[in-house]
Amino acid sequence: MKKDQKAAATPAVERALRSLGESLRRIRQSRRLTLTAAAARAGTSASTLLRIERGDPSVAVGAYTAVLDIFDVLPAIQTGLSQEAEKAKQMLAAQSAPRRIRPSNRFNF
């Protein structure tokens, strides 16, 4: 692993990847797939899948995506991202909407 790639991952990202990797390992084991069989289905090597299951931040996003896809997790993630994008769009629209400016009542005329 390149040193600069490891340093680029924040502690929050490392925790999230470890959690994701553990979840993927549990899914693989619950479906009774060996590491080698799951890796073959994802089009990656067993060593790469092992690194994903350990939450290695230097593994390419495409490899993570391929594993998420073979376990049918990708549609749920896409749905969640779409919902978050819609919330962000609504928030930006609300921020850019014109606001009514009320006069100050400091001088009580």
Side-chain angles (χ1 to χ4, degrees):
M1 171 183 349
K2 293 180 182 176
K3 191 174 185 177
D4 58 315
Q5 287 178 325
K6 177 70 174 165
T10 64
V13 169
E14 289 179 359
R15 282 192 302 275
L17 288 175
R18 270 195 309 271
S19 177
L20 175 62
E22 290 170 5
S23 297
L24 291 172
R25 184 181 68 248
R26 277 184 258 141
I27 292 170
R28 177 181 60 78
Q29 290 172 340
S30 73
R31 296 183 183 184
R32 298 176 190 250
L33 285 171
T34 64
L35 195 67
T36 307
R41 286 182 59 190
T44 188
S45 67
S47 63
T48 299
L49 181 54
L50 183 61
R51 290 173 46 213
I52 289 171
E53 290 182 353
R54 290 180 179 165
D56 187 343
S58 67
V59 176
V61 172
Y64 273 96
T65 305
V67 174
L68 291 167
D69 187 40
I70 67 163
F71 293 136
D72 297 323
V73 179
L74 201 51
I77 292 172
Q78 290 171 327
T79 299
L81 288 174
S82 295
Q83 291 170 351
E84 287 300 314
E86 186 60 33
K87 287 179 191 175
K89 180 180 170 184
Q90 290 172 355
M91 190 171 78
L92 286 172
Q95 288 175 350
S96 64
R99 295 185 183 146
R100 181 177 171 193
I101 300 174
R102 297 180 183 202
S104 172
N105 290 334
R106 289 187 338 181
F107 298 109
N108 294 333
F109 289 108

